[in-house]
Structure formats: C-alpha cells, structure tokens
Amino acid sequence: MNQLVAAPVPRLPRVNRYLEFGAGLTVLALAVALVGLAYSPYAPSKVDLLHRLAAPSPAHLLGTDRFGRDVLSRVLAGGWRSITLGFGATALGLAIGLPVALATGFHRGRLDQIVMRFVDALLSIPTLVFALLVIVGLGPGLVQAVLALGIAASPKFVRIVRSAVLDAASHDYVTAARARGESGLYIQYGEILPSVWAPIIVEGSINVGFALVGGAALSYLGLGTQPPHADWGVMINEAQKYISVSFWPLLGPALAICASVIGFNLLGEGLRDRLHVQRSFRDD
Amino acid sequence: MTDPLIAIENLTVSFAVGGVLHPAVKDLSLTLHASEVVGLVGESGSGKSTALLAVMSYLPGNAVVEAGRVLHGGVDLLRASRETLDDVRGRRIAMIYQDPTTALNPAMTVGAQIAEVLARHLSMEGARARERTHELLRLVQLDDPPRVAAAHPHQLSGGMQQRVMIAMALAGEPDVLLMDEPTTALDVIVQARVLDLVRTLHRQIRSAIVFVSHNLAAVAQLADRIGVLYAGELMELGPAAQVLEEPSHPYTRGLIAAVPRIGARRLPQGIPGTASRDPQRFTHCVFADRCAFTADICRSSRPALLAPSSGGHLSRCHFAAEPSRIGAVPGERATRAAHDRTAEASPLLEVSRLSVEYRRGAGFLGLGRAHAVRAVRDVSFRLPRRRVLAVVGESGSGKSTLARALLRLTPAAQGRIVFDGADVRAFDAGHLRAYRRRAQIVFQNPTSSLNPHKTVADIVARPLVLEGVPREDRRSRVLATLRAVGLTEAYLDRHPAQLSGGEKQRVALARAFVTEPLLVVLDEPTTALDVSVQATILELLLEQKERTGCAYLLISHDLAVVRQVADEVLVMRDGEVCEIGPAERIFGSPSHPYTRELLAAVPDLEPPAARNSV
Amino acid sequence: MGAAFLARRVLYGLISLLILSAIIFACTHLLPGDAAVTILGEGATPDALAALRTRLGLDRPFALQYLDWLAGIPRGAFGTSTTLNQPAGPIIAERFGHSLALALITIVVAGALAIPLGVTAASRRGSRLDVSILTASYLGISIPDFVVAPILIILLASPPLALLPSSGYEPLAKSFAGWLAHIVLPVVVLAFLLIAHLLRQTRSGMLEVLSSDYIRTARLKGLRERVVLWRHGVRNGLSTTVAVLALDIGYLMGSIVIVEEIFAYPGLGRLMVYAVANRDIPLVQGTALVIGAVYVVANLLADLAQAALNPRMARP
C-alpha cells in the first residue's frame, strides 16, 4: 500500500530476467572452470617470446601476456582455482556459521549474548583483513586462502542466519513444538532450518561472488595461489605491470572475474525475489 | 433527497498478482449523503478496505480499476490528478484506519502532525494553529492538550493515539470521514469509549461517515444504513434496523446468526465453507456454494441488486422478493445441558497461588540489574474434566502468560500446579514429556502456528511420532482426527499456504487432539478467524469435549464467545484475579466493578434505538 | 539520552575492542607456524632460534604475552617491528593518518552522491531512472577495485593522458596540489565501491520507510509529495542511513588494503600487506587492531547518532 493512483500492471518478468541472466552467467563461469580443468587451446605456461603482449587474434582469442602465453588458456586453466576459492570459502563459512546461528538463535540466553558479542567483534574486522590475519598464521597458498576466507565469512553468516532463525522462532509453530516436548535439536534442524534455507541460498550465492573476488585479491597480493600456478587474481597482478604497454593481458581475467561476480550476485538477487514471491501469495 | 456527497458507481477494482487479475471489488454502487452514517460490513476477502481506499483514490501499484467511477463534487476521483486529490484529501474527505501505532510519524510530535493539516488546508499557522490543535484534542476528549500535543506517538497509549488520529482527521473540517476498522486494534473497554466518541462527534459535527468493519455489532452501534459485502460484491444494503432485524439476503442472515451474543446463551451458527477467491466467480451468485437455500438459478446466473420492497432496501439475491422463502433468523438453539455436579469430585487441574515473573533488562552479558515484573500474581482455580474454564482479560492481563506457565513453557516463580494428582512443577524430563502429551495448546494465529514447509499429514502425525506410535497406526489415527475436525483425506498432502484461515485452525486443532489429551489450552482460538467460521470451530470444540471428556482452558478477550461456551469464568486484570465463578453468575450479576465495565463495553447487535440496558 | 546510556554504549565498545584484541592475538599466535623459523629461515641453528624466541618473548606463556601486549597499547606501544627494528607504534600512527585522510574524503564524496541518488531512486521506484541507478550500482559492487584501478590508471595516469600520478604520495605540508594529485585516483576507486553499497542500502532503507503506514497517513492528509518524501520519509530514513554508513566503514577498510597496495599509497593497508607478507607479527597485530578499532568507534558514533535521532530512545 505505498503507491498512488492505479497504475498499469507491473512487469513481473523483470524479476525473472535477473534470475535467468544471473543463472546464465554463473553456469558460464562454472563451465569455464570445468573445461579449463581438462582442456585449453595452448598449454597455459607455454611461452612464445615472439608474440608477447599481442592483441586478440584468431590464434589467441584474448591475446597474450608478457611472456607470450595465451591469455585464454590461462583464464581457462586458472579458472577452477578462483571458483574453488569462491565456493570453498562459502561452504566453509556456512558449515561454521549455520550450526552456531541455529544454536544461539534457538536457545538465546547468556550463551547467545556472549557468542554474539564475539561475533560482533569479529565483524568489525573487514573480511580481507581477517583473511590476512589467518594467512599470517597459516602462510600463503590456495588451501590457506580458502580456509582464511571461509573463517572470515562465518561471522557474517552467523549474523544473517541468526536473524532468520529469530524470525522463524517467533512463530507459534516453534512454541507448539516446544509445547509437545520436542528436543532442541529437532526444533532447530527439523522446524527452523526449513524456513532458513531461503536466506542461506540467497546470501550464499552472493557470497560466492564476493569470496571469489576476495580470493582474487589475496592472489593479487601474492598471498593466495602461489607461483608457478596461476589464477585470475595472479593474472591481473602480472598484467598490471605492463599496462601502459598493453592492456590485453588484463582484459581476460578482468572479464572473467567481473562476469562471475555479476553472475553470482544476480543469481542471488533473482533467487531472493523468487523465493519471496512464492512465499507470500496466500495471506489470510 | 439532496445530492449525495460521494457516489460510487459500478466500481470494479482488481489486483494483478503473477500476471492474473484478481477482482477485489465488483460492481459496487453506493451513495453517501450529508450527515449520514453508512456501515460496511464484511469478512476477510469482502473487498471492504479496497472500496474505502478507492474512494480516496489511494490504491497500490498493482491495482487495476477495471470499471466505474467515484464521484465527489462532480469530479471522478479515480481519474483526478494528484494536485486535485491533494486538495480533496484531508480537506473534504479524511480517513482513519486500523492501527494507530504505525499510522503516526514516530519522529514528529503529535501536535506538529495535526498542525500540518491546518497549515496545508486552512492556512492556519503559529499561535492560531496551536490554539486550534488544542481545541481539536479537547474535542476528542484528551486531557491536558498542551502536553499531548508536545508528545511523540510512542509516548501515548493506543486509545490516545486513535483519538489523535480522529482529531487529525477532523482538523481539515471534512464533510466525509472514512473509517476502516478504527477500533479493531484496541482493547474492549477502549473500543467502547472510542465508539462512543465517534457517536458523540457525529452528533456534534454531523459529517458523513463511512464505517467499515468486520464486527457487525460495532457497526450496528453507529450506522443509519448498513451495506453487507461478500467476496467483493454488495449483497445487501438498507436502513440499519431493517437489515439487522429483517435481513433479506441469506448471507446477512447467516452472518447475524454467526455473531455470538453476550445478552443470551445462544450458540452461534457458522456458515459452512469458505469465501471463493476464484477470479471467475461472478458468472453466478458468489454465495451459492455456501447458501442453505440455493436453487439452480443461483449457480448459473448472477443476481442483480433488487429492491424487495420500497424504502431503499436492496438485496443481491434471485429470491429477494420472496423473504418468506428464506425464513426467519434462526431461533434459539438448544442451550447446553445443566452441570453434571458429580464430575467435580476430583478436578483435572488444580492451580494454587501461581505467580509468574518476567525479568526486564537483562543487562550486558547477563550481568547488570534486572527488575522482575509480575505478569501473573497469586492465581488459583480448579478445572474439572469435561468443563470449560474461560480466562478473560484485556491485553496485559497476564492470561496468555498463565496459559504458558501451565504447560511449563514459561517458568513459574511460585505456586502449585496439580494435574491429575501430580505436581507439574516437580516433573522431571520424562514426566514432563508424558505431561505434554496429555496437555496440549492451540494458538491464536493459525498461520503462525503451522510450519509452512510441512504437509498437513506431517503436522498432525508428529505428536504421534513423539509418542512412539508405529507407522501403520499413525495414518489411521491421523485420518480419524482429521475427520473429527471436518477435514477429508484430500487435505493430507496440502501445505498450510493452500488452506484458508479456518482450515488451518482445524489442522492446529487436529494436531492438538490427535494424542487424545485430557487438557487443551486454547489461546484465543477463534480471534483471528472470520465470524462465520468462528461458530463452526466452537461447535467442533464442544463436540470433541463431549466425546473425549477433556477439559478446556479457554483464553479470550471476546466475552461474547466466552458466554457461549464457558462453564466457569475467571476475570483477570494486571496479572490478578478480579473475579471467578460460574458463567451464569458472572454474566448475570457480576460483582467486581472491572467485570461490569468489561461486560458493558461489549457492543451488541441491536441498534442503539432498540437496545435495552444489559 | 542520559549519561547512563552513553556510558553503557562506550563500555560495550571497549569490551568489543578487548575481544577484538584477543582474537587478533590468538590468530597470529595460535595458528601453526613458528615466527622464529620464518624470520631466521629453515636453516638456522637451534641456539639462534632459541635466542630469538627469548628475545621476542615467545617462550613465555601465551596469556602473559597477550597481557604484555595489551598493557602497552594505551601508551601507544605496539611492540617492536621485527622486520624494521623500530617501535611499531609511531609507524602505525603515521600510516593511520594517511589512511584516515583517504577514508574521510571518500566517505564525504560517496555520501554526497549516494544518499540523494538513493532517495531519488526510492521515490521513483520502478521508473527508468530507478532501474538505471540500480543497474549502475550492481556493476559498482561487482567490479573489484583491482580491476577498476588499472582501468583508471590506463585512462588517466598513463600516456597519452598522464594527468595524474599512478602511485605514491606527497605530504600535504609540501604541496597541496601534489597531495591532491596523489590522492584523487585512490579516492575515486574507493568511492566507486562505496557509492554502490551506500546507494543500494539508502534506497532499500527509504523503500521500507516509504511503505510504512505513516507515509500513507501523510498522503491521505493531502500533503504534497515533496513534503511527504522529505518531512516524513527522509527524516525517518535518516537513522537507517546513519547505521548503514557505519557498516560501510567496514567495506571501506577492506578496500583500502587493496587500493593502497595498487597505488603504493603509504597507508595502514599497505603496511598490513607488507607485514603479513613478511610475517612481522607486531605490525600485523597493531594494524589489525587499529583497523578494527576504527570500525568499533564508527559503530559507536552511529549508535549514538541513531539514538539522538530516534525519539523513542531520546524521550522514553
């Protein structure tokens, strides 16, 4: 009830377009990663000093970098690392955050207060900085980066999931469950969790994108994927040094990262609208 | 007859949801003349709120006006420009609606919000505006206007906020006041006072009023003419006394029969079924599938609004001209059998001196001072089997807290609860589990009490799973219980979102009954339901009680409902018991002044002119 | 809003900082990896390692090490940088100043652009303008700063259009123009992301406000839309905007790390990257704590501002 004189029917397809577009880009990103695991036009580390920093051509669709290596091949080959960073960090963050959020949101009380104070303090450290803290201890590397980003993402998930848990727990069906003597674990996982999936899926999708960027940032800083391996973040770092000479080596990984992030964001937002639409049709 | 102030002509408004148009109001025609009060009555889905908002031309973005006009001063408001509307709203037509706590801007003082209207429409500013604001606040019976004007909304009670809304509506000196359920969100006694205020103001100011409500009794207190809406269509329209005493439409008749009366012990009669929301329902009479008097013509063609006799009484029924066919308002239904005293020998539930406290302000990390608020103080009562004990009170009386404490959902601070001879507060985990199978609770809001992700079968079977009933037996018991609450096997695989409010509450009841409990706590079980559905639920509850011999603790603020089903009544205020005793005595000759106040506040169905003192 | 409320919020803030310091300390000390080995290398002799450990205080109980570190903080002593062999405090302080300048300018620029745009988009929901603003903000949050920065560098800091330096820093004292020139690009990159976040949050906050009942009341009183929007809408939306700004400080601090590194801007972020790469524990701890503290203080200020703006709290 927030608008004025009757307007023509709004175009609902706008929402689905987000979802479709996002899903499409996401699938593309995943395809690139999967394909790259097995195949690339050239070996990613194949050096060709005669064709360095070349512009795109039929032979090299995305050009070559400063060592004459085919950019497309490197994008394909390094893709799985960047995608793994995104998914791995998100999965880990959820694996830690979800049980904590369910337990504290359901039980409330003193423990909840202490944990949330803790979480609030953690949230005051930006994700990247937190990841850096963890890397200091673990050292650089792909696996370490996944761990670091995963742990860094968990407080945010605790916050988000907990507010969904609190919302679900305020419904009478949770009180009804307590009234018939259900165990705490059943209520958390059997009654509350189904209501909480929606925000998890939405925030999870969006987070994959951001974790991917975070991972690329770590790699850019030299703290993620280590040489001689490469992922999109490393490629950007390498490309930056020669940017005044040629920006083509930058384009490939930049496009890959942007497309993936936009894809996951749109997917998440599209899902958010979709999942809500299905929920609130019948309100007596 | 003078020209009408507002003329709604053949209004049809629909809402676009997911690409489909759902009609909310169909072919509504209504006129409003100076100084008259028109009451519009309808249940959920009747379209009454949409109709009112259409008059203000304030419809949401997905609303489509398929046909019709709203004429005011020669202008069709539905097609007027925003500038024109800005001059009409607040100045010629003003609106008051349901929840005053959210309707006022929390960041502005109440006085400033009223003064805005004065500045905008009457060019009143400064000292003159301040004076007038105070006058208006006095007019709505608020003491100490300067203090109220300087307050922010959250510093005022609900009743005071609603009076402010009324003052704000009157500030522009409109000819027409639109009221959408203005008292529904308020406590019973406050409701009565606000209704009184509206009546007084109408006598003084003589503006025309359209009063919309689901509460027929409240409308009966004020209206000169009454219109009855159902599923988007106007079913009946006529002078208030005629519509209430000699309704010509079966739905109106059914509605009147469904309203619980506080004056007499007469079990209300529900209307079976639920209102159709099918967008194609207007090819025939929309009420046909629930009407007790349908004929073939009702299912094949849509009736027009006919006048059975002169006097401006219209009815949308193929048989409007034959009132005798439909019969008189149902007479007294058999009242319930007198008490069987022998059942009182050993009460099922005995509560002595129960107190429940809340801690407010837990401090930081659980430290820091918290002060205890006594939500329930020193409550004692006994509940024998097959009896209904009603706990009545307004919000904040502690009745819900009491209910939860009995089931140990909230810890009690002091007192004893004895169930079937055992001390409930001393139960260990095992005994507590067993207790929870024999004592169940049903909540007010059926949408909130059913998990939207589970099917009806899951929901109703779950208590049996907890009890350890084997799978083969579960299904038959679930089916039997569903049948007992009037639902068929077809409902097993449905999700709550696919059910109506009444159906959801039946599922909640089935869930409570499936373990054959001895005690069922009912926390406002019918409050969230339409009145035509309420009665069927009440019938169901009584049947179940007779069959299984369980006892009910009924929590309610609705005294009329309590009158129909309670054996004993406990009146609570601020956590304490004001009065307790057999229902006849409490309703017939209440001794506590608060009880008397509560009873006097309940609006009854007779229009004020015909009303005897209760 | 009483002194009690103020005191309680400050106390909460201090406790958060305390917890923060413990977490930071734990991260850097409990995770596997021996600082001594990292500094001296794998081939160092056991004696040299032991000596270094004693010098760094690594052989003492964990709790004591923590308390030692904590005790020094109020005096600004963050220990000694193991790689630079100087007290960490002054280094951190100087770099903090540079980062603060960057952050404040970014916030002002971003706020001035994002908030009005967000309010406008919300007031015209669904319109072409709204959709284009939304789309632009989507791109803003999706394109990482280490992609935006090189693009800007190509455009503005490389031949043929070398308008601005692509890296480095010049103290304000030396030359205003120089200082400004070095700060422009980092601010633009940071603002890019911040505007996108702030805009979306302002928009959704305003949308929520605009769908409240009191907005309906205001319109039904016949007030002009402009009045409804600003006097009733924005006034209430303001407190959410304030809360959101504090949150965005967090985003900002994270971005600052990357942006300073790209532009070789001598701030806290760049210092942290250096410290992490070289396992300079005292520097890592110090910078992380200061970064976290900025967020805690920003939140505290936001809470106080919200309380002042919210009549429910100001006048119970």
Side-chain angles (χ1 to χ4, degrees), chain B residues 97 102-103 108 116 120-121, chain C residues 213 217 221-222 231-232 235:
Chain B
Y97 36 87
T102 52
M108 280 173 79
E116 262 187 322
R120 167 78 180 88
H121 292 296
Chain C
D213 274 351
T217 309
K221 288 199 303 202
R231 194 189 302 162
H232 290 263
R235 219 195 219 177

Side-chain angles (χ1 to χ4, degrees), chain A residues 124-135:
Chain A
S124 51
I125 313 177
T127 314
L128 191 60
V129 173
F130 197 173
L132 286 174
L133 274 179
V134 176
I135 295 261

